[in-house]
Every structure is written in C-alpha cells, then in structure tokens.
Amino acid sequence: MERQSLLRPIYAYVYELFGGSEVLMSVTVSYLLLVSSFWITGGLFLLSDVTGYPKWMRRYKVQKDANVPIDRYKLKKVLKTVAFNNLFLNALFAYPIHRQQVLVGCSFAVDDTPRWPTILRDLAFCTVVQEIVFYYSHRLLHHPWLYRYVHKKHHQWTAPIGIVAIYATPLEYLTGNGLSVFLGPLILRSHIVFWWIWYSLAMVVTTVHHSGYHLPFLPSPEFHDYHHLTYNWNFGTLGLLDWLHGTDSGFHRTVQRKRHRMLWQLTPIHRLYPERKKPVPENPTNQDGEFNNALNGLKTR
C-alpha cells in the first residue's frame, strides 16, 4: 500500500473547512498565503529599517550606510504601490488563475495530496522555469523604452528593502514577476497543495533577496542587491543564465561575489570578506612632491 503524504491530514482539514468547495478553497487560501507571506516577511525587515531595532540587525546590512535613516517619503510611496499590488491585484487574478488550474487538470483531491519527493521534484522544476522566465523578461524590461515606462519604478531603490520586492508597475508585477511564478506549476499540473507551498516560498525568497540584510541561514541577497546597485548586471534569480550570457562578469570582479553564499555562522559576511583596500603608492611623498610642483608651475604661468 502506498504511503500517504504527511500533509494529507492538514489538507483534508482545510478541504472540509471549505465544505469541499474547490474554487472557494483555492481562491481564498492562495490569496491569504500570498498576502501573509509577503507582509510577515517584509514587515519584519521593515520594522528593523524604520526603528533600528533589533540593533544586531545592522551588522548584517549589505550596503552598510544605506537607508539609515530610511526616507519616509519614499517609503510612503512604496507602501501605497505594494499594497495595491499585493492586496488588490492578487485578489483580482485569484479566480482567473484557479480557472487555468482547472483547465489544465490540476488536482484538488485529498487522496492526491503530494508527498515530499514529489514536492521537491516540482520545486526543482519550477525554480528552473522561474529562472528562465524571469531572466528573459527582466532583460527585456531593461530595453530603454520598457525601462523608462515600466521597469524604472522598481529601480528607484539602488539599495532595496524587503517590501521593494513587489514595488513595480502593474504590468511588471503581473508579467515578469507573476508569470515566472505561475508558469512552472501550471506546466506540471501540480496539486493545489504544491501551489500553496510554491507561492509562499517564492514570496519569502524574493523579499529576502530585496531585504538589504545578509542574515545567517537565509538565502544570500548579494546577487540581486548588486543588480539594484549597478542596473546592468545580474538579471536572473539563480545566476545560471547570467553565467551563460555573460551578464554577471561585472559582478564576478567584486567582493560581493565572494559574499554571495549562505551564511552558516553569526559573523557578518562583510567581516569574512572585507572590502579590498586601495593600494598605497610605494613613494607617496615623491608623488605629492611632483603634484605640488605641477601646481606651482601652473601658478607661475
């Protein structure tokens, strides 16, 4: 007899809670997970950005002095946009996405609740699909016209904070961001339980990538933070297509590349990989003397 999924009793409870209404369950739970995963994760980072507490968080900032203190005017603009995207647009498209799930044959049955091997397999596939869709759509958004009218809003923050993850025009939010998450499980015709896991992970990870903090035991934000700092490097999420197309070569020449790894200890990453000090001239006195002589020569002309 095939072993049942450990998630089956939880899903069975949720299924019964909604009276077996697959549409009501799918739309409601999907929406609540997208909202809660974003605001809980982004809210915790935002609390530190605004209050400066806990103080130990400052030790892990990627761009040390950025957003200290945070610009309240810019923050107000961000909050309005991300609230619209997360609360309204997610609600608006929850039912159309459910209809697509039904059309392709995604399962909602309790007996089909996926086991962890299936979940891990689907996670791997969807991560690759997200890399492909996000990389090419993101590079397209850097076309001068599209950048000016669609993507520039997101790049107003050269040192991003967590909630900036979805600070974007509606077109960018629904296409570049939304499609890269939505397409993978749709291709696989994944069970609704997997959709919920994937939604939550995707929202948490993108918020961490924009957080501006390289915290222990969390994914490294260095790769995408460098994209915000420089605009023209690191377009993907995994870095595979950036490596293939050479759009990470500038990143590879920086200390941020060495820092781009999960931190498995409490020592801040910038202490493990400090900034390179500029080389000191072998004979600075002589160089200063030559410079002063040149100035004196200009004054006597």
mmCIF file of all heavy atoms in Angstrom, residues 37 47 82-83 94 111 124 149 158 174 188-189 231 257 261 267 291-292 298 300:
data_model
loop_
_atom_site.group_PDB
_atom_site.id
_atom_site.type_symbol
_atom_site.label_atom_id
_atom_site.label_comp_id
_atom_site.label_asym_id
_atom_site.label_seq_id
_atom_site.Cartn_x
_atom_site.Cartn_y
_atom_site.Cartn_z
ATOM 1 N N SER A 37 2.472 35.811 3.570
ATOM 2 C CA SER A 37 3.910 35.534 3.426
ATOM 3 C C SER A 37 4.681 36.810 3.089
ATOM 4 O O SER A 37 5.807 37.005 3.553
ATOM 5 C CB SER A 37 4.148 34.470 2.356
ATOM 6 O OG SER A 37 3.610 34.870 1.105
ATOM 7 N N LEU A 47 10.367 46.615 10.042
ATOM 8 C CA LEU A 47 10.443 47.028 11.438
ATOM 9 C C LEU A 47 11.868 47.430 11.811
ATOM 10 O O LEU A 47 12.083 48.451 12.477
ATOM 11 C CB LEU A 47 9.973 45.879 12.338
ATOM 12 C CG LEU A 47 9.954 46.153 13.845
ATOM 13 C CD1 LEU A 47 8.922 47.230 14.176
ATOM 14 C CD2 LEU A 47 9.647 44.871 14.609
ATOM 15 N N VAL A 82 2.864 48.724 -3.150
ATOM 16 C CA VAL A 82 2.890 47.294 -2.819
ATOM 17 C C VAL A 82 1.566 46.847 -2.217
ATOM 18 O O VAL A 82 1.152 45.693 -2.394
ATOM 19 C CB VAL A 82 4.075 46.938 -1.889
ATOM 20 C CG1 VAL A 82 5.406 47.306 -2.536
ATOM 21 C CG2 VAL A 82 3.946 47.587 -0.523
ATOM 22 N N ALA A 83 0.872 47.732 -1.518
ATOM 23 C CA ALA A 83 -0.452 47.388 -1.003
ATOM 24 C C ALA A 83 -1.423 47.160 -2.159
ATOM 25 O O ALA A 83 -2.220 46.212 -2.139
ATOM 26 C CB ALA A 83 -0.961 48.493 -0.079
ATOM 27 N N ALA A 94 -6.955 36.019 -8.613
ATOM 28 C CA ALA A 94 -7.034 34.725 -7.922
ATOM 29 C C ALA A 94 -7.983 33.763 -8.630
ATOM 30 O O ALA A 94 -7.655 32.586 -8.826
ATOM 31 C CB ALA A 94 -7.477 34.940 -6.469
ATOM 32 N N ASP A 111 -7.000 12.694 -1.691
ATOM 33 C CA ASP A 111 -6.202 11.475 -1.888
ATOM 34 C C ASP A 111 -4.957 11.711 -2.735
ATOM 35 O O ASP A 111 -4.033 10.893 -2.722
ATOM 36 C CB ASP A 111 -7.058 10.389 -2.542
ATOM 37 C CG ASP A 111 -8.116 9.845 -1.588
ATOM 38 O OD1 ASP A 111 -7.934 10.008 -0.362
ATOM 39 O OD2 ASP A 111 -9.114 9.275 -2.076
ATOM 40 N N ALA A 124 12.193 21.856 -7.786
ATOM 41 C CA ALA A 124 13.367 21.974 -8.652
ATOM 42 C C ALA A 124 12.972 22.426 -10.053
ATOM 43 O O ALA A 124 13.592 23.322 -10.643
ATOM 44 C CB ALA A 124 14.106 20.639 -8.710
ATOM 45 N N TYR A 149 9.226 53.302 -19.078
ATOM 46 C CA TYR A 149 7.791 53.358 -18.807
ATOM 47 C C TYR A 149 7.278 52.219 -17.916
ATOM 48 O O TYR A 149 6.158 52.321 -17.399
ATOM 49 C CB TYR A 149 7.016 53.369 -20.121
ATOM 50 C CG TYR A 149 7.242 54.625 -20.920
ATOM 51 C CD1 TYR A 149 8.056 54.618 -22.057
ATOM 52 C CD2 TYR A 149 6.652 55.834 -20.540
ATOM 53 C CE1 TYR A 149 8.270 55.778 -22.793
ATOM 54 C CE2 TYR A 149 6.865 56.993 -21.265
ATOM 55 C CZ TYR A 149 7.667 56.961 -22.388
ATOM 56 O OH TYR A 149 7.885 58.118 -23.102
ATOM 57 N N THR A 158 18.217 51.965 -5.224
ATOM 58 C CA THR A 158 19.506 51.331 -5.529
ATOM 59 C C THR A 158 19.987 50.483 -4.356
ATOM 60 O O THR A 158 20.859 49.627 -4.526
ATOM 61 C CB THR A 158 20.569 52.388 -5.868
ATOM 62 O OG1 THR A 158 20.644 53.338 -4.792
ATOM 63 C CG2 THR A 158 20.211 53.118 -7.162
ATOM 64 N N LEU A 174 2.490 41.696 -12.912
ATOM 65 C CA LEU A 174 1.674 40.591 -13.419
ATOM 66 C C LEU A 174 2.414 39.730 -14.441
ATOM 67 O O LEU A 174 2.116 38.546 -14.575
ATOM 68 C CB LEU A 174 0.389 41.135 -14.039
ATOM 69 C CG LEU A 174 -0.580 41.814 -13.058
ATOM 70 C CD1 LEU A 174 -1.722 42.473 -13.811
ATOM 71 C CD2 LEU A 174 -1.117 40.808 -12.047
ATOM 72 N N LEU A 188 3.364 21.663 -14.921
ATOM 73 C CA LEU A 188 3.375 20.360 -14.255
ATOM 74 C C LEU A 188 1.989 19.869 -13.873
ATOM 75 O O LEU A 188 1.827 18.704 -13.495
ATOM 76 C CB LEU A 188 4.235 20.441 -12.990
ATOM 77 C CG LEU A 188 5.743 20.603 -13.177
ATOM 78 C CD1 LEU A 188 6.416 20.767 -11.822
ATOM 79 C CD2 LEU A 188 6.331 19.409 -13.919
ATOM 80 N N ARG A 189 1.000 20.767 -13.941
ATOM 81 C CA ARG A 189 -0.347 20.461 -13.455
ATOM 82 C C ARG A 189 -0.288 19.998 -12.001
ATOM 83 O O ARG A 189 -0.878 18.989 -11.613
ATOM 84 C CB ARG A 189 -1.024 19.414 -14.345
ATOM 85 C CG ARG A 189 -1.230 19.879 -15.772
ATOM 86 C CD ARG A 189 -1.969 18.864 -16.605
ATOM 87 N NE ARG A 189 -1.202 17.622 -16.765
ATOM 88 C CZ ARG A 189 -1.646 16.541 -17.387
ATOM 89 N NH1 ARG A 189 -2.874 16.535 -17.901
ATOM 90 N NH2 ARG A 189 -0.903 15.477 -17.497
ATOM 91 N N TYR A 231 22.389 48.236 -11.948
ATOM 92 C CA TYR A 231 21.384 48.226 -13.016
ATOM 93 C C TYR A 231 21.632 47.205 -14.134
ATOM 94 O O TYR A 231 20.689 46.640 -14.659
ATOM 95 C CB TYR A 231 21.257 49.615 -13.684
ATOM 96 C CG TYR A 231 20.780 50.701 -12.779
ATOM 97 C CD1 TYR A 231 21.679 51.518 -12.105
ATOM 98 C CD2 TYR A 231 19.422 50.927 -12.579
ATOM 99 C CE1 TYR A 231 21.241 52.527 -11.257
ATOM 100 C CE2 TYR A 231 18.969 51.935 -11.740
ATOM 101 C CZ TYR A 231 19.888 52.725 -11.080
ATOM 102 O OH TYR A 231 19.456 53.711 -10.238
ATOM 103 N N ARG A 257 30.676 39.176 -4.972
ATOM 104 C CA ARG A 257 30.645 37.808 -5.491
ATOM 105 C C ARG A 257 31.142 36.824 -4.445
ATOM 106 O O ARG A 257 30.568 35.740 -4.283
ATOM 107 C CB ARG A 257 31.502 37.717 -6.761
ATOM 108 C CG ARG A 257 31.657 36.287 -7.303
ATOM 109 C CD ARG A 257 30.307 35.713 -7.701
ATOM 110 N NE ARG A 257 30.390 34.323 -8.100
ATOM 111 C CZ ARG A 257 30.308 33.284 -7.264
ATOM 112 N NH1 ARG A 257 30.160 33.485 -5.963
ATOM 113 N NH2 ARG A 257 30.366 32.056 -7.712
ATOM 114 N N ARG A 261 26.860 33.829 -0.794
ATOM 115 C CA ARG A 261 26.730 32.458 -0.314
ATOM 116 C C ARG A 261 25.897 32.482 0.962
ATOM 117 O O ARG A 261 25.805 33.524 1.628
ATOM 118 C CB ARG A 261 28.096 31.838 -0.033
ATOM 119 C CG ARG A 261 28.940 32.578 0.996
ATOM 120 C CD ARG A 261 30.386 32.152 0.933
ATOM 121 N NE ARG A 261 30.963 32.552 -0.344
ATOM 122 C CZ ARG A 261 31.958 31.903 -0.942
ATOM 123 N NH1 ARG A 261 32.444 30.802 -0.399
ATOM 124 N NH2 ARG A 261 32.443 32.333 -2.082
ATOM 125 N N THR A 267 29.035 35.431 12.394
ATOM 126 C CA THR A 267 29.921 36.509 11.974
ATOM 127 C C THR A 267 29.405 37.123 10.678
ATOM 128 O O THR A 267 29.161 36.398 9.711
ATOM 129 C CB THR A 267 31.349 35.989 11.747
ATOM 130 O OG1 THR A 267 31.809 35.338 12.931
ATOM 131 C CG2 THR A 267 32.294 37.138 11.393
ATOM 132 N N PHE A 291 53.176 66.460 -7.593
ATOM 133 C CA PHE A 291 51.880 67.126 -7.762
ATOM 134 C C PHE A 291 51.973 68.594 -7.350
ATOM 135 O O PHE A 291 51.472 69.481 -8.025
ATOM 136 C CB PHE A 291 50.826 66.407 -6.928
ATOM 137 C CG PHE A 291 49.446 66.992 -7.024
ATOM 138 C CD1 PHE A 291 48.715 66.879 -8.192
ATOM 139 C CD2 PHE A 291 48.890 67.663 -5.956
ATOM 140 C CE1 PHE A 291 47.447 67.425 -8.292
ATOM 141 C CE2 PHE A 291 47.624 68.208 -6.039
ATOM 142 C CZ PHE A 291 46.912 68.088 -7.210
ATOM 143 N N ASN A 292 52.671 68.841 -6.224
ATOM 144 C CA ASN A 292 52.818 70.215 -5.757
ATOM 145 C C ASN A 292 53.657 71.037 -6.730
ATOM 146 O O ASN A 292 53.381 72.222 -6.960
ATOM 147 C CB ASN A 292 53.462 70.235 -4.372
ATOM 148 C CG ASN A 292 52.511 69.710 -3.302
ATOM 149 O OD1 ASN A 292 51.307 69.834 -3.450
ATOM 150 N ND2 ASN A 292 53.061 69.138 -2.236
ATOM 151 N N LEU A 298 51.847 75.779 -12.589
ATOM 152 C CA LEU A 298 50.645 76.434 -13.134
ATOM 153 C C LEU A 298 50.482 77.833 -12.595
ATOM 154 O O LEU A 298 50.067 78.758 -13.293
ATOM 155 C CB LEU A 298 49.410 75.613 -12.802
ATOM 156 C CG LEU A 298 49.257 74.285 -13.542
ATOM 157 C CD1 LEU A 298 48.068 73.507 -12.977
ATOM 158 C CD2 LEU A 298 49.036 74.532 -15.050
ATOM 159 N N THR A 300 52.810 79.927 -11.711
ATOM 160 C CA THR A 300 53.815 80.874 -12.191
ATOM 161 C C THR A 300 53.613 81.209 -13.645
ATOM 162 O O THR A 300 54.317 82.067 -14.196
ATOM 163 C CB THR A 300 55.226 80.303 -11.987
ATOM 164 O OG1 THR A 300 55.304 79.036 -12.661
ATOM 165 C CG2 THR A 300 55.527 80.141 -10.506
#
